[in-house]
Amino acid sequence: GAVVSQHPSRVICKSGTSVKIECRSLDFQATTMFWYRQFPKKSLMLMATSNEGSKATYEQGVEKDKFLINHASLTLSTLTVTSAHPEDSSFYICSAAPSGSSYNEQFFGPGTRLTVL
Amino acid sequence: GENVEQHPSTLSVQEGDSAVIKCTYSDSASNYFPWYKQELGKGPQLIIDIRSNVGEKKDQRIAVTLNKTAKHFSLHITETQPEDSAVYFCAAKAQGGSEKLVFGKGTKLTVNP
């Protein structure tokens, strides 16, 4: 149980294009999902908290117009990197927190490697 | 806000030995402390967690201890195996309010056969 998937696992795009990454909770519902960015050999940097049916909450320094987040259902959140540039190249990881759980677990997806040429 | 410090940043042990990774946190309101294992190119995997109402939790070769007074918690891996080699992250979350976790910087564990 508690499986989170991400799609695609890898994407290479040209500078200036937009890329959409999907995060799905496969066997549970998740009112809240999180998007992280991870640089090589570094810890996870929280970008935003995504709540189903409402606007995402972005961390300080994260451009909400560049990293568009949509959480339209209890099992799906998407991150769209708009007008991508080489500096957006990174490993993007989502996590999901089971709805209604009295615990606080977050389960992570396998990550998406974005390379912007 | 919460700040989590993790030590050591790298740890090398011989197969069969024990490994200990330590974390400290700053916010006394934190009440949930998970540990994640991340293998190269993959997402973090929750391996064990502890809540502030207990001092120790064990799952086979893995155990976590929590000292609320000192605000530190530790991961203990016994009888290490080469497949335990990975980066381990500790995290902390405060009660109420935001659901977000605050992570340590990670420990790269290498288990030598």
Side-chain angles (χ1 to χ4, degrees), chain A residues 31-78:
Chain A
T31 306
T32 305
M33 292 185 174
F34 303 86
W35 287 96
Y36 295 83
R37 183 173 179 176
Q38 188 176 35
F39 293 100
K41 299 184 180 181
K42 297 293 184 183
S43 189
L44 295 95
M45 183 188 81
L46 180 65
M47 299 174 65
T49 302
S50 167
N51 291 295
E52 186 266 338
S54 64
K55 290 184 179 180
T57 302
Y58 289 82
E59 294 299 300
Q60 193 172 11
V62 178
E63 298 177 61
K64 62 180 181 181
D65 294 330
K66 179 164 186 63
F67 298 100
L68 300 178
I69 291 172
N70 184 276
H71 192 160
S73 80
L74 288 172
T75 59
L76 173 64
S77 176
T78 61

Side-chain angles (χ1 to χ4, degrees), chain B residues 7-50:
Chain B
H7 298 280
S9 56
T10 61
L11 179 60
S12 183
V13 300
Q14 288 299 122
E15 183 177 359
D17 288 351
S18 295
V20 180
I21 303 170
K22 298 181 179 182
C23 289
T24 60
Y25 61 99
S26 60
D27 189 349
S28 57
S30 289
N31 66 343
Y32 175 64
F33 309 93
W35 285 89
Y36 290 89
K37 174 184 180 182
Q38 186 177 28
E39 297 176 346
L40 192 63
K42 298 183 179 180
Q45 176 190 6
L46 178 66
I47 56 171
I48 196 167
D49 57 14
I50 191 168

Side-chain angles (χ1 to χ4, degrees), chain A residues 38 43 59 103-104 106 108, chain B residues 36 38 43-44 51 93 100 104:
Chain A
Q38 188 176 35
S43 189
E59 294 299 300
Y103 301 106
N104 304 290
Q106 284 185 31
F108 283 81
Chain B
Y36 290 89
Q38 186 177 28
R51 289 163 182 83
K93 182 180 113 49
K100 61 183 181 182

